[in-house]
Amino acid sequence: MSEIISNIMVEYPIYDAGNRSFKKTLLRAATGGQLDTKGASPKVIALNNFSTHFRHVDRVGLVGHNGAGKSTLLRVIAGILKPGKGQVTIKGTVSTLFDIGLGMDDHLTGYENIMIRGLLLGVSKKNILRNMDEISAFTELGEYLNFPIHTYSDGMRLRLAFSVSTAFRPDILLMDEGILAGDSGFVKKAEKRLEEYIDSSSILVLATHSEELLGKFCNMTLDFESFKTI
């Protein structure tokens, strides 16, 4: 399994540049992407001619300050963002452990959201149903799974999303450190499951500020401070 990212550029247009919010955008840009004021409208360049290559058994930690481009790169690999320039080649199935609430519908029950989240991860309906009991048990939500998730606390929603996302083994795992937020009892249980999940993946790409997580899960780092990507 491999990922090849070749000379990609990702930029975000800035709208309403003439109003007061533009100053706030400039301040954010000072710790994020490069500000480009050429052309009809200004934009922030999050990744500029960025290239890298991940291979089987790589456990890669993405490090750098907030706004350096770590989350942007995760979204490019996941196919959520399409680069304006360059090429991304992915060999293998990809699963994401960031934007954990992706695809969750507040008006549907926990069980229904398990199905939706699984389908969005590319898992077949048959496979989701086969794993439904195990996923349900891991959430520890019991009868709440019959209720619409707008009745859930943030911690309950995290339990549900995490349980679905880690029930199916991908080739390439993309992860943000925020996945382990939540109540302490569930975090301990989630950490064990996460370790097994990472071990079974061919490639891990983790965006983090934590030296502990880097030491625990990664065998190499990609330091965004050393790249001319911002």
Side-chain angles (χ1 to χ4, degrees):
M1 305 304 162
S2 64
E3 308 170 17
I4 301 173
I5 294 94
S6 302
N7 299 315
I8 64 170
M9 175 180 284
V10 179
E11 56 189 26
Y12 301 98
I14 302 173
Y15 300 105
D16 298 325
N19 66 21
R20 191 176 304 172
S21 67
F22 184 50
K23 293 182 179 179
K24 295 182 180 179
T25 301
L26 286 175
L27 291 174
R28 287 196 298 270
T31 57
Q34 179 183 358
L35 183 65
D36 182 359
T37 57
K38 298 177 182 179
S41 61
K43 52 186 176 286
V44 172
I45 301 175
L47 293 171
N48 188 14
N49 294 324
F50 180 89
S51 298
T52 191
H53 183 195
F54 304 139
R55 292 164 291 192
H56 176 61
V57 307
D58 281 349
R59 301 287 186 263
V60 186
L62 306 182
V63 298
H65 61 67
N66 290 335
K70 303 185 301 296
S71 294
T72 297
L73 180 60
L74 289 181
R75 285 165 174 75
V76 168
I77 298 172
I80 298 172
L81 287 178
K82 184 177 180 180
K85 297 179 181 178
Q87 183 176 357
V88 179
T89 303
I90 305 294
K91 295 181 180 179
T93 58
V94 178
S95 185
T96 63
L97 284 176
F98 59 86
D99 289 342
I100 195 67
L102 178 67
M104 306 281 274
D105 189 318
D106 281 352
H107 301 291
L108 298 181
T109 68
Y111 283 116
E112 290 169 325
N113 273 287
I114 289 173
M115 179 61 69
I116 290 175
R117 176 80 183 180
L119 292 172
L120 285 174
L121 290 172
V123 182
S124 69
K125 181 178 180 180
K126 182 178 180 180
N127 198 9
I128 298 169
L129 290 173
R130 185 186 302 123
N131 288 273
M132 184 67 76
D133 289 344
E134 189 275 334
I135 296 170
S136 304
F138 192 84
T139 67
E140 299 180 349
L141 292 176
E143 288 300 316
Y144 278 101
L145 289 170
N146 293 304
F147 301 158
I149 66 170
H150 68 74
T151 64
Y152 289 15
S153 67
D154 288 344
M156 293 167 69
R157 293 167 69 98
L158 180 60
R159 284 176 179 240
L160 180 65
F162 179 88
S163 300
V164 181
S165 297
T166 55
F168 309 100
R169 301 295 188 254
D171 298 315
I172 301 165
L173 174 60
L174 311 176
M175 193 174 100
D176 185 277
E177 63 186 354
I179 189 67
L180 288 177
D183 62 87
S184 59
F186 187 74
V187 165
K188 290 181 179 179
K189 179 180 177 180
E191 284 180 340
K192 183 177 184 299
R193 182 172 173 117
L194 187 58
E195 289 178 16
E196 296 171 351
Y197 191 58
I198 290 172
D199 287 344
S200 66
S201 301
S202 176
I203 296 172
L204 167 70
V205 185
L206 167 66
T208 182
H209 297 283
S210 169
E211 292 291 337
E212 180 182 355
L213 290 180
L214 287 173
K216 187 173 184 178
F217 293 129
C218 301
N219 57 23
M220 59 185 295
T221 60
L222 185 61
D223 188 351
F224 278 67
E225 307 293 350
S226 65
F227 285 87
K228 299 299 182 180
T229 59
I230 60 173

